[in-house]
Amino acid sequence: MITAEQREQMRGWFAGRLPDDLFESLAEVTVDREEITVVGRIPEPRLAEGASAPEQEAAVRARVQEFRERTRDDRVAVAREAEHRFRRKVSWGVECGGERTLFTHVAAPVMTRLRQPERQVLDTLVAAGVARSRSDALAWCVRLVQRHTDDWLTELRDSLAHVERVRAQGPDAGPRESAADNGAEQGGEEQEGKG
């Protein structure tokens, strides 16, 4: 698991490395074992007062698409450096007009063993047309848990960060390693060039 200090170092690296005019502000840098997702705020399109909801939605979608195309080269350059440094894929997203849009990002396979009662849950979701396959049903279940237990998951992550800090102070703690040295288990090619 990545430590809070490593996460802060990565966020600081992106804040310092991103071109000043790329985003209005850096909204979020999220990290796991496979991927770093960088989300920034971009300006909302200027519309006439009283613009309809469909007009606003279309303007935001167009603004996001324009941003994605215009900034691709800058984002690819930053992603290559970050992927080399942190050994994780870099994905991008934006917030605009209260909407969040993620560009090309990693969908990592996860293997698990399930007993019959758990498989029956997945098979019921498939039979009911909620999911296309057991794999899709399992992803659906994870999204459902995430949606309904956000506070609990946040508290659990905070507890894990506290455990990491306590471990780092223990007698077996070696010299501190930077996120660049200890940041990842996986390497890889740059993802955004495909998106």
Side-chain angles (χ1 to χ4, degrees):
M1 186 180 140
I2 186 168
T3 66
E5 183 178 347
Q6 290 171 330
R7 189 174 293 110
E8 290 167 9
Q9 287 176 353
M10 287 183 192
R11 182 177 172 84
W13 186 88
F14 278 99
R17 175 57 184 86
L18 291 173
D20 287 338
D21 60 348
L22 188 65
F23 297 125
E24 279 187 327
S25 64
L26 182 60
E28 185 175 84
V29 176
T30 307
V31 182
D32 69 7
R33 291 187 298 184
E34 292 84 20
E35 179 178 27
I36 302 169
T37 303
V38 180
V39 178
R41 287 185 189 85
I42 62 173
E44 292 183 40
R46 286 180 276 214
L47 297 169
E49 195 171 320
S52 68
E55 184 179 353
Q56 291 172 4
E57 288 174 25
V60 167
R61 279 195 310 270
R63 172 61 52 91
V64 168
Q65 186 62 33
E66 182 277 333
F67 170 86
R68 185 176 186 185
E69 292 170 9
R70 176 176 46 83
T71 64
R72 181 171 277 123
D73 291 342
D74 286 338
R75 290 182 293 108
V76 166
V78 172
R80 283 189 178 128
E81 284 181 48
E83 289 173 2
H84 178 73
R85 180 181 185 96
F86 301 117
R87 295 186 177 104
R88 288 172 170 81
K89 297 281 187 191
V90 175
S91 300
W92 298 93
V94 294
E95 289 181 357
C96 181
E99 297 294 320
R100 178 175 283 210
T101 303
L102 294 177
F103 304 155
T104 306
H105 52 280
V106 175
V110 178
M111 301 297 287
T112 187
R113 294 183 182 277
L114 299 176
R115 299 194 186 284
Q116 188 178 39
E118 291 121 357
R119 293 192 310 267
Q120 287 175 331
V121 169
L122 300 181
D123 292 342
T124 300
L125 292 171
V126 171
V130 172
R132 294 182 307 260
S133 64
R134 283 181 172 177
S135 174
D136 192 36
L138 189 56
W140 183 89
C141 291
V142 169
R143 287 190 300 272
L144 184 66
V145 169
Q146 179 186 23
R147 185 176 308 126
H148 292 292
T149 60
D150 249 355
D151 293 340
W152 179 79
L153 288 172
T154 299
E155 188 175 334
L156 185 61
R157 288 182 187 113
D158 291 345
S159 296
L160 289 170
H162 178 71
V163 168
E164 285 296 322
R165 285 192 301 274
V166 171
R167 272 195 197 135
Q169 297 169 5
D172 295 334
R176 289 185 172 224
E177 296 178 352
S178 72
D181 298 331
N182 191 25
E185 303 84 46
Q186 297 186 9
E189 293 292 315
E190 194 278 332
Q191 182 92 12
E192 177 56 32
K194 301 174 188 170

